[in-house]
Amino acid sequence: MKYYVDSHENLIIGYDNKIEKIIILDDPINNIYRGSVQKKVKGIGTFIDLGDYIGFTQEKISQSEGESVIVKVIKVPSEKEKALKVSRKISVTGNAMIVFDDDFIKVSSKINAEMRNNLLNFAEHNSFKGVLFRTEAQNIAFESLKEEYTDLKEKLNLLELEKDRLPSPKLLYKEPIVNRINLKENEEILFNDLELFKLYKNLVNSEFDAEFSIKYIPELVRELNVLKGREVALPDGGNITIEKTLAFTVIDVNSKGYNAINNHEVVRKINLDATKEIVRQILLRNISGAIIVDYIDSDEQIKKEVINLLRKELKQDGKNTTVHGFTRMGLLEMSRKNRGEELSNIWIE
């Protein structure tokens, strides 16, 4: 996999024969700010000045208007004029773990039971608190995990001390790029921003090219335009259409262009092919909120296969997406937690 970090287009793209991952470079999700309480509205919540953004929370804020408060961005609305949702519960992310201002110890559901128990025992033995082990933790030596925990805990403690300092508002913390993309040792990463490159120049496979632009790489542009488009073709015929509304996202599965004799097998094949592509589109476009899928009408067995495949494919998204099942009208319902800005807000063809 090669990652392209394009500061001009505000995108990070992971490419390996096709686009595998897309991250918005300056997405404010998970940013931690020292904000200034702007307005407290009784019964509604508190608006907080974050500098480039306005934050909003319904959590109890003890500070008065004009005073500083440390908050983390937990949701970015699709409508840019709306305030970011923020929380007083802050955390910092590392390669193998996320450390919170809390007491729990948790392990990613992607890690097998034996390794999960080993990590829990290790954490308890070393008095870890407020830690969530990420999937990568299973590939890292315990001594390195201990070092990372110590480093992240120190960062968290320093953030707590920032509340009464100046200026306010101020961005205090942004997740490092290598943590956001889970960069592996053999993966390349190309920058066109010198200041960003300097931060990561110690990476073995990092490169700098001031002239590089995603817009000059035809295969990336073609795929990005498809991801921005309404219709996506399936590999063996048929397609899906994606429509975004204010309330939810509607995905329609169509059999157009598919030729086969056995109708039952046609429906099964298209619906399963569509399921894999739907997951890919949701993750790459970063679609969140309520999602409705109108599959080709099928029997209960095919519906069961669709749900099982959906859940399998969505494991890569952790616990961000919940599959609710088929309605009486045969529509598939699912919902995805907000993971920051959607691609449609960033990429302009």
Side-chain angles (χ1 to χ4, degrees):
M1 179 106 76
K2 181 168 184 175
Y3 285 95
Y4 298 89
V5 183
D6 190 335
S7 295
H8 306 305
E9 299 301 325
N10 195 22
L11 287 173
I12 304 172
I13 295 182
Y15 188 82
D16 186 8
N17 295 319
K18 64 179 180 179
I19 292 179
E20 298 285 355
K21 190 177 291 187
I22 297 177
I23 294 173
I24 311 302
L25 185 57
D26 286 333
D27 194 334
I29 194 76
N30 294 329
N31 283 0
I32 297 175
Y33 292 88
R34 178 172 56 237
S36 177
V37 177
Q38 186 181 65
K39 189 174 182 62
K40 302 179 82 169
V41 183
K42 190 174 181 179
I44 296 179
T46 302
F47 292 90
I48 300 168
D49 182 5
L50 305 177
D52 292 333
Y53 306 96
I54 296 296
F56 173 78
T57 182
Q58 292 180 308
E59 296 174 3
K60 184 177 180 180
I61 300 292
S62 59
Q63 288 82 357
S64 302
E65 292 180 6
E67 292 184 332
S68 295
V69 60
I70 305 293
V71 292
K72 179 176 181 176
V73 178
I74 59 173
K75 183 176 181 180
V76 179
S78 55
E79 299 87 357
K80 290 198 172 186
E81 65 274 10
K82 288 190 176 181
L84 307 180
K85 187 176 181 180
V86 299
S87 172
R88 291 291 311 278
K89 300 172 184 175
I90 65 173
S91 61
V92 289
T93 303
N95 185 42
M97 66 187 73
I98 304 173
V99 176
F100 299 78
D101 183 20
D102 212 316
D103 293 328
F104 63 76
I105 302 173
K106 296 181 181 179
V107 180
S108 166
S109 59
K110 297 180 185 178
I111 296 177
N112 65 55
E114 182 182 355
M115 189 62 192
R116 184 180 298 116
N117 288 332
N118 290 341
L119 287 168
L120 289 172
N121 292 334
F122 164 74
E124 289 174 6
H125 180 73
N126 287 278
S127 302
F128 284 15
K129 290 184 178 181
V131 62
L132 168 61
F133 287 106
R134 306 177 73 190
T135 309
E136 188 61 26
Q138 64 189 331
N139 303 318
I140 297 177
F142 281 173
E143 192 57 38
S144 296
L145 291 177
K146 194 172 181 179
E147 290 174 4
E148 182 169 308
Y149 173 79
T150 302
D151 177 58
L152 293 175
K153 195 69 176 178
E154 184 178 345
K155 286 180 180 177
L156 192 64
N157 291 336
L158 289 173
L159 284 169
E160 293 287 355
L161 298 174
E162 287 282 347
K163 180 171 70 71
D164 297 321
R165 294 178 180 170
L166 294 173
S168 185
K170 181 183 178 183
L171 173 63
L172 300 177
Y173 174 82
K174 188 173 187 66
E175 275 188 76
I177 287 174
V178 288
N179 293 339
R180 295 173 70 192
I181 63 177
N182 292 324
L183 188 71
K184 306 295 188 298
E185 286 186 14
N186 62 337
E187 293 177 332
E188 300 174 66
I189 183 166
L190 174 64
F191 298 88
N192 59 8
D193 184 305
L194 183 58
E195 294 307 311
L196 262 184
F197 172 70
K198 287 178 181 177
L199 291 175
Y200 301 101
K201 65 181 180 182
N202 293 330
L203 295 173
V204 177
N205 295 318
S206 65
E207 305 172 65
F208 171 71
D209 180 357
E211 302 302 316
F212 142 69
S213 171
I214 285 170
K215 288 191 171 182
Y216 299 154
I217 305 175
E219 55 268 34
L220 294 186
V221 173
R222 278 196 300 270
E223 283 205 53
L224 285 167
N225 288 343
V226 170
L227 288 166
K228 186 76 183 284
R230 177 178 176 271
E231 184 175 306
V232 181
L234 297 176
D236 295 320
N239 63 60
I240 61 174
T241 58
I242 303 172
E243 296 279 0
K244 181 80 174 175
T245 72
L246 287 176
F248 44 73
T249 299
V250 180
I251 302 175
D252 191 26
V253 180
N254 305 293
S255 59
K256 180 182 178 182
Y258 199 99
N259 296 311
I261 299 172
N262 188 320
N263 188 57
H264 180 271
E265 278 306 306
V266 169
V267 172
R268 180 178 178 276
K269 181 74 167 67
I270 294 177
N271 281 352
L272 293 181
D273 283 351
T275 296
K276 291 183 178 180
E277 188 59 39
I278 285 167
V279 171
R280 180 171 182 266
Q281 294 293 321
I282 287 171
L283 299 187
L284 292 181
R285 294 178 187 231
N286 202 20
I287 296 171
S288 61
I291 302 169
I292 305 294
V293 185
D294 187 5
Y295 282 98
I296 298 172
D297 289 341
S298 65
D299 58 32
E300 291 304 313
Q301 179 56 39
I302 293 177
K303 288 180 180 177
K304 189 179 294 184
E305 288 186 61
V306 164
I307 289 177
N308 289 338
L309 182 59
L310 254 182
R311 288 178 173 150
K312 178 184 174 183
E313 294 291 316
L314 284 167
K315 282 184 178 179
Q316 61 188 298
D317 195 33
K319 295 183 178 180
N320 294 319
T321 307
T322 302
V323 179
H324 302 291
F326 282 92
T327 68
R328 290 182 180 180
M329 295 182 66
L331 302 174
L332 187 284
E333 291 182 318
M334 58 179 154
S335 56
R336 185 168 185 260
K337 293 178 184 176
N338 184 283
R339 303 305 301 156
E341 286 202 71
E342 295 190 14
L343 179 65
S344 58
N345 294 333
I346 301 297
W347 178 252
I348 300 173
E349 298 180 37

